[in-house]
Amino acid sequence: MPFAHDTDCSLTAAAALVNTDRPDGEGLPDVAALDAFYVAHGYTGRHEHTEAELRSVRDLRPRLRRIWYAGTDEVVAILNGLLRENRALPQLITHDDEPYHFHAVPRDAPLATRIAVEAAMAMADLVRYGELGRLRICDHPDCANVLVDLSKNRSRRFCDAGCGNRAAVAAYRARKGRPRPDAAPSGPDAAPSGPERP
């Protein structure tokens, strides 16, 4: 089922934030990286451009990541905790030429608070509609990124880090390396191709 635009955006941003916590290096290494994240995911309102703000956003990642691995009851407990701790009070608002949508904390609340609450509200929609299966882990064997499958046919398997392309290349190379069923055998065990010479 299609979700509201703000729900899609919040789910996508939550996955992107989780994926900045990488084993091969910090995906939010500095305030400039957080600034880029803020712009890329269309956040508005308070943004302090400080190390403290950066730390508070980073600290949110493990809790959000847990949602991709938890069962429904644990997901609900995490979401309710985020909403309760941040004193969420949903209200319909409009700003920046956007249609009416829910905000549950003021626009001048700290950025980490707004990210947490917007993610929790969006994921609450997944719970309500029985769509938690849209939260997935990338299918590439060398990737632990999370993703949100917002496709109509629920067919998305790979994250946004190019894993789909890597999987396609690997499959192509595997096919090219296999002999065709109609190809003549080669190598020391191959049958002779013609009559033996005396």
Side-chain angles (χ1 to χ4, degrees), residues 96-109:
D96 301 314
D97 297 323
E98 293 287 327
Y100 278 104
H101 56 282
F102 277 119
H103 277 209
V105 290
R107 294 181 72 204
D108 62 353

Side-chain angles (χ1 to χ4, degrees), residues 81-90 104-106 113 117:
L82 289 169
L83 295 170
R84 184 171 52 250
E85 291 160 27
N86 292 293
R87 300 179 183 183
L89 178 62
V105 290
T113 296
V117 169

Side-chain angles (χ1 to χ4, degrees), residues 4-21:
H5 176 69
D6 57 317
T7 296
D8 289 357
C9 292
S10 295
L11 291 169
T12 301
L17 177 59
V18 168
N19 290 337
T20 63
D21 189 9

Side-chain angles (χ1 to χ4, degrees), residues 56 61 71 85:
S56 65
R61 297 180 302 192
E85 291 160 27

Side-chain angles (χ1 to χ4, degrees), residues 119-139:
M121 295 275 293
M123 290 180 182
D125 275 352
L126 297 183
V127 174
R128 291 169 57 219
Y129 294 112
E131 295 281 3
L132 279 175
R134 290 182 180 272
L135 301 181
R136 299 189 180 153
I137 311 301
C138 181
D139 263 4

Side-chain angles (χ1 to χ4, degrees), residues 30-36 38-39 45-54 111:
D30 51 32
V31 171
L34 180 59
D35 291 347
Y38 179 96
V39 171
R46 179 176 169 185
H47 181 25
E48 298 170 358
H49 312 276
T50 63
E51 291 290 332
E53 181 181 61
L54 174 62
L111 179 59

